[in-house]
Amino acid sequence: MDKFVIKGPSKVKGTVDISGSKNASLPILAASILFDESVEINNLPKVKDIDTMLLLIQSLGFKIKKNKKKNSVKIIKTKNIHTFAPYSLVKTMRAGILVLGPLVTKFKKAKTSLPGGCLIGARPINYHLNALEKLGMVYKIEKGYVHASSHSNLKGAKIIFPKISVGATENAILASVLASGKTILKNCAIEPEIKHDLTNFLNKAGAKVTWTGKRTVEIIGVKSLKKISYTVMGDRIECGTFCVVATISQGNLKIKGFDAKLIKTELNLLKRVGAKIKTYKNLISIIGPKKIKNIKLIETKEYDGFPTDLQAQFMSLLCKANGKSIISESIFENRFMHVAELRRLGAKITIKNNKANIFGNTNFQGAELMSSDLRASVALVLASIVANGTSVINRIYHLDRGYESIEKKLSKIGVDIKRVS
Ligand code: UD1
């Protein structure tokens, strides 16, 4: 199993190119199931979750032509379509459940593995199933699989999500695009990957998806979608992570390929801890402060609040602040896996319920560490960059699920990092 060896401390300097967004690419790839004609998707990030989604779509019977130079794929429907999403693929990546809505609306049946829980929380799919049921899908759950079907076309309906869910919003939009009549979805997730990228992609292909309120979207079903070539947006969480890299290490970075307007909440917090930030079109220039200021309370929220996917990275940062900070996690019930590992580097953090008290002024000392999930792992990388001495981070396959060539990008800006197989 690969590990990273990082020798700190380093101050980063230079330019970083942000890769395509993983969380925008996944529902867009799932959407390719809705098409009879070919779909070309550009700027896909080279990460494991994307490979898994491509394998899943291929296993359904679609032909995938990769163009590695352009980071793009062409997905072509064949005559042999299956509607079975196996456990072996869905277990490693929860977004596998996003094929359920497209399969049922397009082919009127699907057998998809339940994704199961994961370390950060139980992560059920009840909102996905309830929304699709309202559109006319019938289903039963047997031996770990959702067996779903619909007798005729799915039919537009009014659905109010009881709680905001990114995946359930995406699944419901994808299913409604080819349903007959009008669907109204209320209390939707409005992450840019949905409200901006998935919506633009579908509408460019001829769908009729209109946001009529902050969290309300109306979809008029169409019969079919047109051939399309689409370039996905930059990765919001990768961009936020590199902003933290610059801030934590007194760094000086130019971060290219992401629209700063979409991460205002995060950039305002980084300004509050002392970072100097200038934004231009698709470019963020960020200089880390000599002394990092504490923040009384950060609470993770649905977009446009502070993202849970940057919680762990900000915790590493606040360990270096000049006083106590609190981070409250309100999206997932068990997302403090990184705390025990940060403590091994010297962090002083206590946890009570969903709140972490971070007691600042930490001089991290290199140590051997274990990755537990994608974002927790990158938080350990950030702390190791500014730690004195050598850190070894084990099980970095978690990082490979969502960060493209992170060691290459970090080496280029001055971090002493090696991958050891
Ligand atoms: C997506 C993101 C993930 C991010 C998360 C929250 C992708 C591929 N993944 O995950 O990186 O951390 O949004 O921003 O885009 N819930 C239910 N029942 C459901 C669905 C969700 O109870 O049917 C709960 C979840 O357990 C969680 C909360 O709702 O507590 C939010 O989850 P959701 O927004 O659905 O996250 P994902 O789509 O899985």
Side-chain angles (χ1 to χ4, degrees):
M1 253 183 262
D2 287 9
K3 44 182 145 181
F4 279 150
V5 178
I6 301 176
K7 281 189 195 138
S10 328
K11 289 183 183 177
V12 299
K13 192 171 180 359
T15 303
V16 180
D17 290 306
I18 295 305
S19 300
S21 162
K22 168 177 88 69
N23 288 356
S25 301
L26 290 168
I28 288 175
L29 286 170
S32 63
I33 294 170
L34 302 168
F35 289 70
D36 295 316
E37 298 193 59
S38 70
V39 177
E40 187 183 45
I41 306 168
N42 310 304
N43 199 32
L44 286 173
K46 289 188 198 122
V47 298
K48 193 83 186 43
D49 275 8
I50 298 300
D51 293 341
T52 309
M53 185 56 108
L54 287 170
L55 279 177
L56 179 53
I57 291 168
Q58 199 171 27
S59 80
L60 296 171
F62 291 82
K63 196 167 155 194
I64 311 259
K65 281 191 188 165
K66 289 188 185 170
N67 181 336
K68 285 204 172 130
K69 269 195 200 142
K70 278 171 61 193
N71 288 354
S72 80
V73 293
K74 206 171 205 181
I75 300 173
I76 303 151
K77 191 179 165 199
T78 68
K79 286 194 181 114
N80 259 333
I81 298 296
H82 325 284
T83 52
F84 173 57
Y87 174 71
S88 57
L89 292 171
V90 180
K91 75 168 180 206
T92 59
M93 182 199 56
R94 286 185 45 83
I97 196 63
L98 293 178
V99 302
L100 179 62
L103 284 175
V104 175
T105 200
K106 180 75 182 162
F107 301 106
K108 306 204 171 38
K109 61 176 183 169
K111 180 181 168 189
T112 50
S113 169
L114 286 170
C118 69
L119 283 175
I120 63 172
R123 304 184 82 176
I125 56 161
N126 52 325
Y127 305 142
H128 299 240
L129 295 174
N130 294 346
L132 296 173
E133 200 174 25
K134 288 207 172 111
L135 294 169
M137 177 182 94
V138 288
Y139 74 94
K140 59 181 180 188
I141 295 177
E142 255 176 30
K143 296 185 182 165
Y145 279 86
V146 183
H147 298 253
S149 61
S150 78
H151 299 301
S152 51
N153 272 354
L154 293 182
K155 275 205 186 68
K158 184 171 172 182
I159 297 163
I160 305 174
F161 291 106
K163 195 179 153 195
I164 296 166
S165 157
V166 169
T169 302
E170 291 166 346
N171 232 334
I173 291 176
L174 292 172
S176 311
V177 160
L178 297 183
S180 54
K182 190 203 272 189
T183 298
I184 301 176
L185 304 175
K186 286 183 176 275
N187 202 28
C188 292
I190 52 166
E191 271 63 6
E193 294 77 22
I194 304 173
K195 201 168 182 174
H196 171 79
D197 235 24
L198 181 62
T199 303
N200 283 348
F201 167 81
L202 290 169
N203 285 343
K204 210 175 157 203
K208 292 188 176 153
V209 181
T210 314
W211 290 85
T212 55
K214 184 172 175 188
R215 292 195 180 273
T216 303
V217 64
E218 280 189 24
I219 300 132
I220 313 277
V222 294
K223 290 231 153 54
S224 62
L225 296 172
K226 297 184 299 228
K227 183 174 170 175
I228 181 173
S229 172
Y230 190 79
T231 302
V232 293
M233 65 185 284
D235 196 288
R236 183 164 58 95
I237 305 302
E238 189 196 21
C239 180
T241 301
F242 276 100
C243 289
V244 179
V245 172
T247 308
I248 199 173
S249 72
Q250 293 179 35
N252 184 345
L253 286 187
K254 300 224 171 342
I255 300 171
K256 275 164 66 181
F258 194 80
D259 179 357
K261 284 200 283 303
L262 301 174
I263 51 166
K264 273 193 200 148
T265 306
E266 296 87 315
L267 294 182
N268 283 338
L269 284 171
L270 293 174
K271 281 182 192 161
R272 273 173 60 193
V273 307
K276 291 209 169 66
I277 300 176
K278 285 191 185 146
T279 59
Y280 309 88
K281 194 169 182 254
N282 280 328
L283 177 75
I284 299 170
S285 152
I286 176 159
I287 298 177
K290 285 226 159 64
K291 277 203 177 121
I292 296 167
K293 289 188 209 122
N294 66 318
I295 292 192
K296 265 196 184 149
L297 177 66
I298 298 181
E299 240 179 318
T300 62
K301 293 244 170 71
E302 294 88 1
Y303 194 82
D304 43 5
F306 179 77
T308 174
D309 284 353
L310 283 174
Q311 180 254 104
Q313 298 88 317
F314 271 67
M315 194 172 301
S316 297
L317 173 67
L318 292 174
C319 286
K320 301 285 298 168
N322 63 353
K324 184 184 154 190
S325 310
I326 296 176
I327 295 186
S328 166
E329 171 59 57
S330 54
I331 306 292
F332 291 110
E333 60 266 39
N334 189 23
R335 209 173 196 182
F336 286 140
M337 306 291 293
H338 42 287
V339 170
E341 298 303 300
L342 287 175
R343 284 191 193 126
R344 293 169 59 75
L345 293 166
K348 292 176 281 298
I349 304 170
T350 57
I351 296 172
K352 200 168 175 208
N353 302 322
N354 68 335
K355 284 197 174 58
N357 292 301
I358 304 138
F359 292 95
N361 292 310
T362 300
N363 271 322
F364 288 126
Q365 302 296 324
E368 181 142 6
L369 306 163
M370 191 64 80
S371 302
S372 54
D373 68 70
L374 172 57
R375 309 302 172 184
S377 322
V378 84
L380 303 182
V381 171
L382 300 193
S384 303
I385 291 173
V386 290
N388 290 308
T390 302
S391 298
V392 177
I393 307 178
N394 293 290
R395 293 203 187 155
I396 53 166
Y397 59 85
H398 290 290
L399 272 164
D400 295 333
R401 281 190 42 218
Y403 285 91
E404 177 175 328
S405 313
I406 187 162
E407 73 271 33
K408 285 192 192 132
K409 292 190 186 190
L410 286 171
S411 294
K412 196 182 143 216
I413 56 175
V415 176
D416 186 339
I417 178 170
K418 281 192 186 65
R419 181 184 285 260
V420 180
S421 295

